[in-house]
Amino acid sequence: MAYELYYWDGLQGRGEFIRLALEDAGADYLDVARTGVGSQKMMEYLKGKHGYAELPFAPPFLKDGDILVSHVANILSYLGPKLKLSPEDVKSATFLNGLQLTITDFVAEVHDTHHPISTADYYEDQRQEAKARSAAFLKHRVPKFLGYFDKLIAANPAGKGHIWGEAVTYVDLSLFQIREGLKYAFPRAMANFDADYPNVAKLGESIRKRPRIASYLRSDRRLDFNENGIFRHYPELDQDPV
Amino acid sequence: MAYELYYWDGLQGRGEFIRLALEDAGADYLDVARTGVGSQKMMEYLKGKHGYAELPFAPPFLKDGDILVSHVANILSYLGPKLKLSPEDVKSATFLNGLQLTITDFVAEVHDTHHPISTADYYEDQRQEAKARSAAFLKHRVPKFLGYFDKLIAANPAGKGHIWGEAVTYVDLSLFQIREGLKYAFPRAMANFDADYPNVAKLGESIRKRPRIASYLRSDRRLDFNENGIFRHYPELDQDPV
């Protein structure tokens, strides 16, 4: 039976980390909200119409038969071994989940660059605060997070340019997306990305060339980045490289 | 062998969600940074001195023999079955992990009420923005998150006042901590907490009375809330109930 992915239509957002894994594995899946009445179907879950054990807090969530899994890292941890995108041993599984949760934290910080005060208000109503938050994000947080990932890739004893072991894992696919997103949102500030984080950059390029990912990126299943997603390009939040 | 918990000394913070689980289970554990040179020992991990597979991004992390697990939800998901604080079946494990990740998101938002612009700056340098963020948090986010948890507890078909199944899980312990923290940080705004979220309130009180938790709360292992942690009481961020 096909996996059912539930995520907001019209944006990459957090759903994209799941799509990349499903696409890379060539998995049979349905991106529910992008089908006919799919958005309505998703809302029925969020309103509790499917009952107690199928009431997620927010998208993305994944249905696999009678199992409902919510949150990106939880979904990827669940899918990883099934899609051959993570080893099954506990040490690998917990380490990779820890890395994905680090990415989760980073993604929340990316979101807050354009919404530092309230998700209930428009960006335009918190633009000044967004400028301050973006400046701090670019100065302190990007180097801390990306420096960490870059260091780990370099230190991987398997030495194949991935973050864990000899093969691509779902974390590698997520790091590809992080690089794409940052370059879209902050093209000026990220001008030196590939020199500053060469291992993340090389990894990103190697992911882009994987046949199923390349095919996905050319397809209309891959939406363009836009200003409804996590990574938004507002020129006034961008700046020269730190 | 005892579990080793690594977390900043002097505050409850994110480490407290792990401590509550270990304490409730009566597990043998060492709160490393609160022992002699423990903080230094923790820094050695963060600086990469233990190598590739033992380089977490940030505390808290847990050592169990040669396995290192980072991030609260990951640690609790790992410990849950070992401490008899979660069922072992996949459906339960993924659902509980999804709930814990919802708590993770909420905790990040609690943190940002006092640091909406930058963690690299003092609270006092972002007080105005903190007021705006706190107001939005209390108006929109608290009802959304706590309303969700309250509804789930009420809907639990086992009907024992827990969020999943018939027994206490690590998520119940975390919800206890959320209630304690919110009441500490925002005593005015939370004046109606127990009337607004009666199921979370009842759950919290039942957790407080569990013998090992009661004993822990009386011990000096339980630090007081303070203004270095996640839940901080700044009177100027508090307000009358929404």
Side-chain angles (χ1 to χ4, degrees):
Chain A
M1 199 162 62
Y3 296 112
E4 293 180 5
L5 171 64
Y6 291 81
Y7 193 67
W8 308 113
D9 188 19
L11 58 152
Q12 293 186 9
R14 289 179 169 87
E16 196 65 15
F17 298 98
I18 315 297
R19 287 188 199 103
L20 286 167
L22 292 164
E23 293 281 349
D24 187 74
D28 185 15
Y29 81 101
L30 196 64
D31 201 336
V32 178
R34 293 188 187 164
T35 63
V37 294
S39 290
Q40 191 181 319
K41 238 185 118 180
M42 181 170 84
M43 291 315 295
E44 288 174 1
Y45 280 98
L46 296 174
K47 287 176 185 162
K49 295 203 175 158
H50 293 275
Y52 169 70
E54 300 204 326
L55 174 51
F57 183 73
F61 57 95
L62 182 93
K63 282 275 296 174
D64 180 17
D66 74 334
I67 291 186
L68 183 149
V69 191
S70 73
H71 286 76
V72 171
N74 194 20
I75 297 169
L76 290 174
S77 173
Y78 174 81
L79 286 177
K82 295 178 198 293
L83 302 182
K84 312 280 180 220
L85 283 171
S86 66
E88 301 212 28
D89 65 285
V90 174
K91 194 180 169 90
S92 296
T94 52
F95 195 80
L96 286 169
N97 189 34
L99 291 177
Q100 192 66 42
L101 287 168
T102 305
I103 292 174
T104 297
D105 290 346
F106 186 63
V107 167
E109 296 196 22
V110 172
H111 170 272
D112 281 7
T113 58
H114 48 77
H115 277 80
I117 301 299
S118 174
T119 51
D121 293 334
Y122 292 110
Y123 160 67
E124 287 73 16
D125 297 329
Q126 47 197 307
R127 194 182 307 206
Q128 287 314 312
E129 296 89 343
K131 281 185 190 175
R133 175 122 188 181
S134 295
F137 172 77
L138 293 168
K139 182 172 177 188
H140 298 292
R141 304 304 283 171
V142 168
K144 186 167 165 70
F145 279 96
L146 292 187
Y148 173 73
F149 293 124
D150 206 69
K151 186 171 167 179
L152 270 188
I153 296 166
N156 181 352
K160 300 281 179 62
H162 311 126
I163 205 156
W164 181 264
E166 298 191 4
V168 166
T169 64
Y170 61 77
V171 174
D172 295 313
L173 300 174
S174 292
L175 288 173
F176 160 80
Q177 176 70 1
I178 292 288
R179 176 167 171 261
E180 297 297 302
L182 286 175
K183 287 189 168 208
Y184 170 79
F186 302 103
R188 275 169 64 203
M190 295 298 140
N192 302 332
F193 185 111
D194 293 3
D196 290 343
Y197 311 109
N199 298 294
V200 178
K202 253 184 275 179
L203 169 62
E205 289 309 306
S206 77
I207 297 294
R208 187 196 309 286
K209 287 174 192 143
R210 288 167 73 81
R212 290 201 190 104
I213 293 291
S215 160
Y216 169 60
L217 295 176
R218 284 191 306 270
S219 76
D220 57 9
R221 299 191 301 288
R222 169 80 166 187
L223 298 179
D224 290 334
F225 285 105
N226 63 43
E227 280 52 60
N228 293 316
I230 298 286
F231 294 100
R232 303 189 186 184
H233 178 53
Y234 295 124
E236 64 273 26
L237 302 185
D238 203 1
Q239 59 176 48
D240 286 336
V242 177
Chain B
M1 197 162 63
Y3 295 111
E4 292 181 5
L5 171 64
Y6 291 81
Y7 192 66
W8 308 113
D9 188 18
L11 59 152
Q12 293 186 11
R14 288 180 170 87
E16 197 65 15
F17 298 98
I18 316 298
R19 286 188 199 103
L20 286 168
L22 292 164
E23 293 281 350
D24 187 75
D28 187 15
Y29 81 101
L30 196 64
D31 201 336
V32 179
R34 293 188 187 165
T35 64
V37 294
S39 290
Q40 192 182 318
K41 240 184 116 180
M42 181 169 84
M43 292 313 296
E44 288 173 1
Y45 280 98
L46 296 174
K47 286 175 185 162
K49 295 202 174 158
H50 293 274
Y52 168 70
E54 300 203 326
L55 175 50
F57 183 73
F61 57 95
L62 182 94
K63 282 274 296 172
D64 179 18
D66 75 335
I67 291 186
L68 183 149
V69 191
S70 73
H71 286 76
V72 171
N74 194 20
I75 297 169
L76 290 174
S77 171
Y78 174 81
L79 286 177
K82 295 178 197 294
L83 302 183
K84 313 280 180 221
L85 283 171
S86 66
E88 301 213 28
D89 65 286
V90 174
K91 194 180 170 91
S92 297
T94 52
F95 195 79
L96 287 169
N97 189 33
L99 291 177
Q100 193 67 42
L101 288 167
T102 304
I103 292 173
T104 298
D105 290 345
F106 186 62
V107 166
E109 296 196 22
V110 172
H111 170 272
D112 281 6
T113 58
H114 48 78
H115 277 79
I117 302 299
S118 174
T119 51
D121 293 333
Y122 292 111
Y123 160 65
E124 288 72 16
D125 296 330
Q126 47 197 308
R127 195 182 308 207
Q128 287 314 312
E129 297 90 342
K131 281 185 192 176
R133 175 123 189 182
S134 294
F137 171 77
L138 293 169
K139 182 173 177 188
H140 298 292
R141 305 304 283 170
V142 168
K144 187 167 164 69
F145 279 96
L146 291 187
Y148 173 72
F149 294 124
D150 206 69
K151 185 171 167 180
L152 269 188
I153 296 167
N156 181 352
K160 298 282 180 60
H162 311 127
I163 206 157
W164 182 263
E166 299 192 3
V168 166
T169 64
Y170 61 78
V171 173
D172 296 314
L173 300 174
S174 292
L175 287 172
F176 160 80
Q177 177 69 1
I178 291 289
R179 175 166 170 261
E180 297 297 301
L182 286 175
K183 287 189 167 207
Y184 170 79
F186 301 103
R188 273 169 64 204
M190 294 299 140
N192 303 332
F193 185 111
D194 293 4
D196 290 344
Y197 312 109
N199 298 294
V200 178
K202 253 185 275 180
L203 169 62
E205 288 310 306
S206 78
I207 296 295
R208 186 196 310 285
K209 288 177 192 143
R210 288 167 73 80
R212 289 201 190 104
I213 293 292
S215 161
Y216 169 61
L217 295 176
R218 283 192 306 268
S219 76
D220 57 8
R221 299 192 302 286
R222 169 80 166 187
L223 298 179
D224 290 334
F225 285 105
N226 63 43
E227 280 53 60
N228 293 316
I230 298 287
F231 294 100
R232 302 189 186 185
H233 177 53
Y234 295 124
E236 63 273 26
L237 302 186
D238 203 1
Q239 59 176 46
D240 287 334
V242 176

